[in-house]
Amino acid sequence: MPFIFMLTRNDRTVEEAEAHLDVALEAGVRHIGFKDVGLPEARLTALRDRIAGAGGTCYLEVVSEDRESEIASARAALRIGVDVLLGGTRGREVAPIVAGSGLRYMPFPGRVAGIPSVLHGPAEAIVASAVELAGLDGVDGLDLLAWRYTGEVEALIARVAGAVGKPVVVAGSVVKPAQIAALCSAGAWGFTIGTAALDGVFPAREPGLAGQLAAILAAEEAAGFSRLGWPGLD
């Protein structure tokens, strides 16, 4: 199930995360994450425990921009016990911190800045960054901010996915079924949605978060994601 539901809005974990988690688990979502900002670590740990207790996979995505905060977030991910660490831009420094822990690590390729995070630079530089990161020991895949890039998005996803040979998650600004179909066709392993679902942006038959999640899961199935897998995270 490559849809990762993020308990976040505008790159922050939301105050109502526990209630939204209830809805997600009831809807059958089992890949669930949060950001490194917005809630104290004790509450993030409690969220992680509930996700794990339901047989789910827990993700923490780093949006902190400075070096010290990013490294602190990586260490927090280890303390919290998440399964996958997404994001961050300092792969060479973070990979040794998480190496051997069992945590899967998927940093951002390219030049990423701002809150919400935006991907900058020509496609060639982003692909080169992706290849460099994917070659590091301890890097298990990449977190690509494809729809926060101003160039040819689908072509960028295809180039990155084809160049690295490791799973690529597309994060940020996925708001409609056509995007899910496109990123699947381009070779992405999965995608995250947070704000769009919480704000009711994704086209859905039923109102509320449950309706949003049902529509996203249906779009995921229609796109053909069921044929994909990542050992240990299916």
Side-chain angles (χ1 to χ4, degrees), residues 52-134:
T57 300
C58 184
Y59 301 72
L60 185 148
E61 187 170 44
V62 177
V63 294
S64 300
E65 293 189 84
D66 63 276
R67 176 185 179 277
E68 291 74 17
S69 295
E70 183 171 339
I71 290 174
S73 293
R75 297 190 187 282
L78 294 174
R79 292 193 299 270
I80 293 166
V82 300
D83 301 293
V84 184
L85 176 62
L86 296 171
T89 60
R90 295 169 177 85
R92 288 192 175 277
E93 296 181 76
V94 172
I97 294 172
V98 301
S101 66
L103 178 73
R104 308 236 185 172
Y105 176 42
M106 306 179 73
F108 291 134
R111 184 168 62 88
V112 175
I115 302 291
S117 301
V118 175
L119 177 60
H120 300 275
E124 291 74 15
I126 296 169
V127 174
S129 170
V131 171
E132 179 183 2
L133 285 171

Side-chain angles (χ1 to χ4, degrees), residues 124-147:
E124 291 74 15
I126 296 169
V127 174
S129 170
V131 171
E132 179 183 2
L133 285 171
L136 296 176
D137 289 339
V139 171
D140 300 285
L142 299 173
D143 190 14
L144 181 65
L145 291 165
W147 266 283

Side-chain angles (χ1 to χ4, degrees), residues 23 83 124 128 158 170 175 188 201 211 216 224:
V23 177
D83 301 293
E124 291 74 15
V170 172
V175 299
V201 173
I216 295 167

